[in-house]
Structure formats: C-alpha cells, structure tokens
Amino acid sequence: KHKRAQGVYQNWQSLADRFTRVYTSHPRGPLAPGALLWMGRIHADAWRRFKRDTDFFQAVDIFKRLTNHFPTSRLADDAQLMLAGLYEEAGEPKRAYLEYLKLTVNYPRGDMVSKAKSRLDVLEGKLARHQRSSAKAKKKAVAQKPPKHAAGDALAAVKGLKHWSTSTYTRVVISLEEPVPYKSALLKRDPDHKKPRRLYLDLKGARLPSGFDDTVPIGDGLLQSARAGQYSPDTVRLVLDIKRLASYKVFTLDNPFRVVIDCFGQKPKVRAAAKKSRRARKVPRGRASEQPPQVGLAAALGLGIKRVVIDPGHGGKDSGAVYRGLKEKHLTLDISRRVAAKLRKMLGCEVLLTRNRDVYLALEERTAFANTKDADIFVSIHVNAAPSHRLKGVETYFLNLASDKESMRVAARENATTTRSISDLQVILNDLMLNSKINESNRLARKVHKKTLYRAGQGHRVRDLKVKQAPFYVLIGAQMPSVLVEVGFLTNPGEHRLLAKRSYRDALAQGIAEGIVSYAKELKQAGGRRARLPRSGG
C-alpha cells in the first residue's frame, strides 16, 4: 500500500506543500532551513521517480535558496551536496564539479566535505577522459571556424616567439598584435624517418614581419626547435620539432594576444630516483661520515616540498595599483622577499622569486618559471584596488571558474583585460584544469588564507573576504598547487596606512609563510595515513 502511494505524483506534491506552508509561515524562522531542505529532497526524489523537469528545477532553486539565505545553518552544506548530486545525476558533470568544489570552499569544516572531495576525485577522472575523447572533435570545430580576417583586411603581425623549458616541460609562446583564429595538430613521424614528429599551429590572418627571427633552437629533451614561417599569404605556421612528447595543451591569452603551447614529457619515477639517491649517499663500513648535513623541516617530515616559488605581482612598466604614492609592484616585492626569508628558516627548503628587482615579467613567464624550476608550490602575491574606497579585506584565490562578479572583476584587473574576456576564458578553463591540482590548490589556499588573516588581524581589524576561485592568467598551466593572495586594498585609506608600515607587511609575510608550512604538515599527515593502510593481497 505504501509503495502504491509513492507511485502517485499528487502524494509527493501534497507532502512538499506541507513543508512549504511551514517555510512560508516563518521564512526567517528557526524551522525554515529544515523545511527548505525537505522541500528540496521531496522535489529531487519526485524528479528521480517521475522525470518531470519542473521538479528538478524546483529542487535546484530550493537548495540554492537555503545556501544563499542561511549560509551559517548546519544544513547549508547538506543542501550544497544535494545540489551537486542533482547536477551529477542529470548528466552535467562540469556543473556538478563546480558545486562540489563550492562546498569545500564555503564549508571547509562541515561534515559533508569528505563526501564532496570523494566525488571531486571521481569527477576529475571522468572529465579528463571525456576531454581526451572529445579533443579531436574540438580541433575540427576550431578548424571550421570562418577566418576573422577577410580578403582585403590587414594581417596581424607576429610580435614575438619565446620558450621556457626543462627536460620534462616546455612552454612556447607566440604573440601577435591582435587576435586571430588558429588550429593545431600533431603529425606522426614520416615512414622514412627523415623528419621528426611535429606539432604545428596555423594562425589564420597573420603575417611574419621582415627580419623576424623565425627559428628558435630548444634542444631540451622534448623539443628540438620551434620554427615559424609564412605558410600561405594569410597564414603563419608555427612548427615544433619533437624529440619526445607525452601530451600538450594549447590556449590563448589577451592584451597582447598570444597563443601558449605547453608540452609535457614523462616524469621519472620518484621511487627509483630516491632509491638511487640513497645508494649514492651510503657511507662505507668502517669510514666515519663527515658532519651530518642540516636537515630542514621538509626533509624531517619526509615531505615532497623541496622548492617553493613566490611571485611578486607586477613590476617594471607594470606598476599595478597606484594610490597616494604607494605602488603595488614595490609592496608585493617587499612582502615576497620577507616570505622567502621566513620560509627558508621555517621549512628548510629552497625558495625562489620570479623577480627579485623591479623588472617586467609577462604573466605566462611567471608560471613557466615555476614549472621549469620544478616547484612544489607557487604563490603569487598582489595588492587589491577598487573604485570604491570602502572596499577592504584579505582574499585568497585558486584557479577555477569565477564564483561571483567581484571575483571576475579582480581577475580582470590582474589579467589586464576585461570581464568579457574573462567570461570567454571560462570556456577555455574547462579543458585546462581537469587535474588533481585544483583540490590541492584549494587546500593550500585555505591554509594560507587562514594564517594570513590571523597574523594581519593581530592588533588590527581585517575583513575576511574568504577563499575564492577565478581564472587568473598567472596561475594557468601551473603544474603544482598554486594560489594568488590579495593582501589588502591599496585604495582603502585604512589598509593603505597599514600597507605602508613595514611591521604590517612583515605580519602578512609571516602569515603566508605559516600557511605554506601548515599545508606541508597536512601533506605529511595524509602521507602517513596512506603509508599505514594495509596492503592488499598479502
């Protein structure tokens, strides 16, 4: 009888109406969150049973209402988890991934975090497989796009060709004076082995200016060289001659327009390398060893964090925010130097700065520096600015789709582009970020943010603007956990006075350094738990 009742749609609607009356009678009362949760659950279950779209959209709307109107309720993370699950069941894995990620950011101490992280791990694998299977179709679609430059239009000149490389990673960047459509393809080795494997990029509506240095030798283990040539009257072809290549990614950046090609090789096995290193360090019997080397915290904890790259935002011709005599580029360099000095003492690891003086670095060069140095952590330090002088606070970002309009604004400012370009970039990010570094960057961001807020707040009132997500150019392509810290608003009179003080900048640096150390300790604890798991099959 009970099962027959469940099969009648009207009964589900009647049950939902009961909780609706509870909610509408006191929409801000103590029973409202629970009523909303049950309303959402009922509509979600009705959608699963009867497959009516109206129930799906009602459930989504109700769960969002709960999280938006009652963010501090103990049921808010339950609603967020159910919302993500709905999208996953509806066959929208990318939207589901974003909603699960919001849960880990907005409710880091909630009891639903472990479930959300578990689903994130599963979805990352599924999305990565889907990305690989659809890569050919996407390339074909790009190739079929009509060229931007019609006959008679001026062709966009190639402005530069650069590369950064190691034996396992190479970034090649070709810049043009304005955006043009492009297509890329990987060519197999010819049967006679006279030509190497090649990766080429065709830039439609482009030209090589006279005297352009069209060949760049690389010889890094992955690529032999990069060659640019006028393939046809309106097309420039960039060819990468390959020695060995495991995978690659192509994406664009704006202002100026450039196409970035990241090439990846197979990294050596860590265990084999460590074993070989231990054999090399072994002291023969009967021979006294010399004075033991100094062991830093990273080595003592057995952590993989051996090298950290700190990125002082802006520099040179790019001053960043400027207000009442203070320049962002000077503040970020000072804070970064302090972070580096503290980390060397606290963590005992190598710390590098992308710049240690007032010089200009392109955003893609900063990430390439971290990748080529094989860094384990990348932290970019910035100072915020806004049209309203009342805005203030500390916020920390990791790379992802923008979570709100303010995050879009901040990303547009740091990328030196428009919010419209950021919206276009969101589409590109779907193909660039499906890897485990998103979750790791999320954890790093929370550790750094918490400690920075604590240190900055000692003796001062500092507003917590939370951990957020946005598409920052400087973080795209980073092969390690990476975050961007906005340490305050230069345009806010109160924070302007604080940032002008060495003591406050030192407190900010102390917080950022402590956050990195806290993340390192968490890695050790996680590694220890994995090591204690029983082995199967024995």
Side-chain angles (χ1 to χ4, degrees):
K1 184 177 180 180
H2 182 62
K3 290 183 178 180
R4 286 199 301 271
Q6 288 182 352
V8 179
Y9 181 78
Q10 186 59 39
N11 292 338
W12 291 84
Q13 188 63 51
S14 176
L15 184 60
D17 288 343
R18 293 182 185 180
F19 286 101
T20 302
R21 286 193 292 270
V22 174
Y23 169 68
T24 55
S25 62
H26 299 285
R28 305 299 296 182
L31 299 180
L36 283 172
L37 188 69
W38 274 105
M39 288 161 58
R41 288 182 63 179
I42 292 167
H43 283 291
D45 286 340
W47 169 72
R48 294 183 184 101
R49 177 176 288 270
F50 301 102
K51 302 301 180 184
R52 297 189 181 187
D53 290 342
T54 53
D55 284 306
F56 177 85
F57 292 120
Q58 280 185 291
V60 167
D61 179 69
I62 291 167
F63 288 142
K64 286 183 177 180
R65 193 182 310 173
L66 199 163
T67 57
N68 291 334
H69 292 180
F70 302 95
T72 59
S73 169
R74 62 182 181 83
L75 299 178
D77 58 339
D78 295 70
Q80 186 66 43
L81 185 73
M82 292 178 187
L83 175 62
L86 267 180
Y87 281 120
E88 188 175 358
E89 289 181 59
E92 298 185 43
K94 292 180 181 178
R95 186 61 184 269
Y97 186 94
L98 182 59
E99 298 300 336
Y100 282 125
L101 199 60
K102 284 182 181 178
L103 192 155
T104 64
V105 173
N106 296 332
Y107 313 101
R109 297 183 180 179
D111 55 357
M112 296 294 137
V113 168
S114 60
K115 293 181 180 179
K117 289 180 178 178
S118 176
R119 296 311 305 162
L120 282 171
D121 292 338
V122 172
L123 284 175
E124 280 175 0
K126 289 183 178 179
L127 289 171
R129 288 192 294 272
H130 175 74
Q131 176 191 4
R132 289 192 294 268
S133 65
S134 61
K136 291 183 179 180
K138 289 180 180 179
K139 289 180 181 178
K140 184 177 180 181
V142 171
Q144 292 175 345
K145 285 184 179 179
K148 181 177 180 179
H149 294 268
D153 288 351
L155 300 177
V158 174
K159 304 294 288 184
L161 179 60
K162 296 182 180 180
H163 85 282
W164 299 266
S165 61
T166 66
S167 60
T168 58
Y169 167 80
T170 300
R171 169 169 284 188
V172 178
V173 178
I174 184 168
S175 56
L176 297 93
E177 61 183 4
E178 62 179 282
V180 298
Y182 71 92
K183 68 175 182 178
S184 62
L186 184 63
L187 300 178
K188 297 181 180 179
R189 188 187 301 271
D190 67 293
D192 297 330
H193 296 276
K194 293 182 179 180
K195 294 182 179 179
R197 290 176 66 205
R198 286 157 289 155
L199 171 63
Y200 76 83
L201 184 79
D202 280 350
L203 301 156
K204 190 72 173 178
R207 64 177 177 86
L208 281 180
S210 59
F212 184 82
D213 187 5
D214 57 2
T215 301
V216 177
I218 298 177
D220 59 5
L222 293 184
L223 305 178
Q224 294 178 358
S225 62
R227 300 178 282 114
Q230 197 72 44
Y231 183 69
S232 70
D234 67 344
T235 301
V236 169
R237 172 168 286 190
L238 174 65
V239 179
L240 306 183
D241 293 320
I242 298 170
K243 289 184 178 179
R244 56 185 178 86
L245 183 68
S247 61
Y248 71 95
K249 292 179 180 178
V250 183
F251 57 96
T252 62
L253 302 177
D254 294 316
N255 295 326
F257 178 78
R258 58 258 198 221
V259 183
V260 182
I261 308 173
D262 277 346
C263 301
F264 309 98
Q266 296 288 355
K267 290 193 175 183
K269 293 183 178 180
V270 177
R271 290 182 180 178
K275 188 175 181 180
K276 183 178 180 181
S277 177
R278 285 195 298 270
R279 285 200 301 265
R281 293 196 306 266
K282 189 174 181 180
V283 180
R285 289 184 179 180
R287 181 183 298 177
S289 62
E290 298 180 2
Q291 185 176 357
Q294 294 295 320
V295 179
L297 178 59
L301 292 177
L303 300 178
I305 297 179
K306 299 177 182 178
R307 188 174 296 116
V308 176
V309 168
I310 305 297
D311 173 46
H314 307 276
K317 63 181 181 180
D318 177 16
S319 297
V322 180
Y323 187 66
R324 292 183 179 177
L326 286 184
K327 295 183 178 181
E328 180 180 0
K329 65 176 183 178
H330 295 149
L331 297 175
T332 59
L333 181 57
D334 179 75
I335 296 171
S336 296
R337 285 171 173 168
R338 294 173 186 272
V339 172
K342 294 176 187 299
L343 272 180
R344 292 182 186 114
K345 292 181 180 179
M346 299 166 63
L347 199 54
C349 65
E350 183 181 7
V351 185
L352 304 174
L353 299 183
T354 56
R355 67 177 182 93
N356 205 6
R357 55 195 178 94
D358 186 16
V359 294
Y360 172 78
L361 289 179
L363 296 176
E364 68 272 16
E365 187 172 352
R366 298 167 187 264
T367 319
F369 177 88
N371 287 343
T372 55
K373 295 300 181 182
D374 199 21
D376 300 300
I377 287 177
F378 178 71
V379 177
S380 188
I381 298 175
H382 293 256
V383 180
N384 220 328
S388 172
H389 295 330
R390 287 184 289 184
L391 283 178
K392 61 180 181 178
V394 175
E395 54 192 353
T396 307
Y397 288 88
F398 62 96
L399 182 69
N400 210 325
L401 308 178
S403 53
D404 53 55
K405 290 183 179 179
E406 180 61 18
S407 298
M408 293 269 280
R409 183 197 66 78
V410 175
R413 190 183 75 83
E414 297 298 355
N415 292 348
T417 187
T418 64
T419 52
R420 181 176 180 180
S421 297
I422 293 298
S423 182
D424 295 338
L425 181 63
Q426 305 254 47
V427 178
I428 299 174
L429 288 182
N430 285 333
D431 295 331
L432 294 181
M433 304 187 321
L434 301 179
N435 59 68
S436 60
K437 297 299 182 290
I438 300 176
N439 283 340
E440 295 172 26
S441 298
N442 178 7
R443 297 184 188 106
L444 174 62
R446 286 191 281 110
K447 294 292 184 182
V448 169
H449 185 77
K450 179 180 178 181
K451 295 293 185 179
T452 304
L453 202 67
Y454 171 73
R455 286 297 180 182
Q458 290 186 326
H460 310 96
R461 287 187 176 183
V462 179
R463 181 174 295 174
D464 180 7
L465 295 181
K466 309 296 182 182
V467 173
K468 300 177 180 178
Q469 49 208 19
F472 289 95
Y473 285 172
V474 74
L475 302 181
I476 293 179
Q479 299 300 297
M480 71 292 300
S482 53
V483 300
L484 183 146
V485 186
E486 295 278 3
V487 297
F489 281 78
L490 195 61
T491 46
N492 177 271
E495 292 192 336
H496 182 277
R497 287 191 293 272
L498 288 175
L499 289 165
K501 298 180 180 179
R502 293 182 180 179
S503 59
Y504 186 72
R505 297 198 299 271
D506 195 69
L508 290 169
Q510 182 70 25
I512 293 171
E514 288 180 356
I516 294 172
V517 172
S518 178
Y519 173 78
K521 289 181 178 179
E522 185 181 77
L523 283 186
K524 169 59 180 176
Q525 293 169 356
R529 287 194 295 268
R530 285 194 294 269
R532 288 192 295 270
L533 290 175
R535 296 182 179 179
S536 60

